[in-house]
Each structure stands twice: as structure tokens, then as C-alpha cells.
Amino acid sequence: MSANDLHENFLQYSEYSSHIHCRFFPFWPPRDVDLLQWLSHWIKQGALPIAIMNMYHYHSQKINFYCTSSSWQHRIIYGVEPRGIYLMNPIQIQSPQQIYEQLTVDSITYIIRQEIVQRYNQSPMCLTPLAINNNKSRLFSDTRWRTMNVLGQVVNVLREDRQLNENETRNIPYRPTVTHVRIPSTCSSGILIFSKDYNQLINAIDLPLRQ
């Protein structure tokens, strides 16, 4: 769900939308901001920050990381202190650097190779729309489907899976090198600020780009 989707869903509840407003502050490209100080300012004003973050970007650096859920998550920020930032879903505290790394990510979603293989085995024809995609198609109107060579990534996953199966029958060790496929995402990393003070939201300066 993108920031716009989250905002539009919220507006469906008229009892809140009439007196609560929100504004999205993008963090990609990376912004020059003291995250602790910036969040502290909004929370002290009674605002509610919701971070839209790419969890995979940070956790993929961990050894043996295995992502089974969507790489994009929406997390409520309910407090800050010098040692970190408090988040919900799940409840935990993370350092400003950890949060910043997950916020400063391009609009990309990571699909695990197991899901690619499973979907292809269930329906081999599922690749047809991707193979014949064109800019007129609503599904593939984003040119990044081509520039990111998504079809080529998928083919590599399937090729390695076939090699894996062949080697297993021969009892030959083989470890696939492709763990994920990168596809364009409608999500944008950043922070949604919900507040009753419309003027404060609208007059807040945009976060400057990091040089």
C-alpha cells in the first residue's frame, strides 16, 4: 500500500477525516535530516508519524536472511529518545541509522525466488503478460519493468531452479545464486505525518536532499 492509498483509506472514515490531516514527506532520494530531532518535533506537537519503509533493504545485509513477507511495511512511530526510535508492528526500538537506511530506498519490491518458482509451476503461462508487456498496458506502464529487466531476472531464477532439480537427481551439490527478483513498486519510502493542525503541516518545509 502506497502513501496515497493509506491516506485515501483513512479519508473513508469521515469522523476522523474532517479534523485530522496528513502530509507525506519522501525520504528518497536520501534527505539531509536529523531524524531524532525531526520526529521529536512532530510528536511534541501531538502529531502521529507513520513510516513507510523497505525492511528488506536493511535486513538483506544480515547473514542467512530469508524474507517471507512483503518488503514494504507501514510502522507507527510513537516515541523517540537519545538511544533510539520506538515503533509498532512489531513493538521495538531501533537506532536512527537503522530507520534511516530503511527509509532511504527506491520504489522497489523484492520477490523471493521460492514464490517465483511456485507460481510458475502452478501456471507456466503466467509469464506471458510479462514477456509481451508494452507501455500501453496498465500493469506494465512503468518503464522500469524493462529497464530493470524483470523478465530476465525471472528467467534466471527458473533456469537455476531447473539446474537445482537436475543436480539433486544426480546427488550433485548446487546452490542457486539468485535469491530475489526486483520489481517496480508503487510504494514510496518516507514518513506520513497525521496532525490536527493543518496550517502547521502545510507550512512545514520540505526535507532537503542530502548532498
Side-chain angles (χ1 to χ4, degrees), residues 4-23:
N4 286 337
D5 293 334
L6 185 62
H7 186 200
E8 290 174 2
N9 285 351
F10 177 80
L11 292 179
Q12 295 178 7
Y13 298 91
S14 57
E15 64 270 30
Y16 301 118
S17 61
S18 60
H19 56 270
I20 296 181
H21 314 278
C22 81
R23 177 178 169 183

Side-chain angles (χ1 to χ4, degrees), residues 3 37 112 115 141:
Q37 183 178 354
I112 60 174
E115 184 172 347
S141 58

Side-chain angles (χ1 to χ4, degrees), residues 11 14 29 35 40 62 70 77-79 84 118 120 137 154 178 181 193 196 204 208-210:
L11 292 179
S14 57
L35 196 55
S40 177
K62 305 297 184 181
S70 173
I77 297 174
Y78 66 93
Q118 181 182 16
Y120 178 77
S137 168
V154 172
V178 182
V181 166
I193 299 293
K196 294 181 179 180
L209 294 174
R210 188 176 65 185

Side-chain angles (χ1 to χ4, degrees), residues 161-174 176:
D161 184 68
R162 183 174 60 184
Q163 186 66 53
L164 176 64
N165 292 332
E166 291 178 356
N167 282 25
E168 285 181 345
T169 60
R170 301 172 184 174
N171 200 26
I172 301 175
Y174 179 77

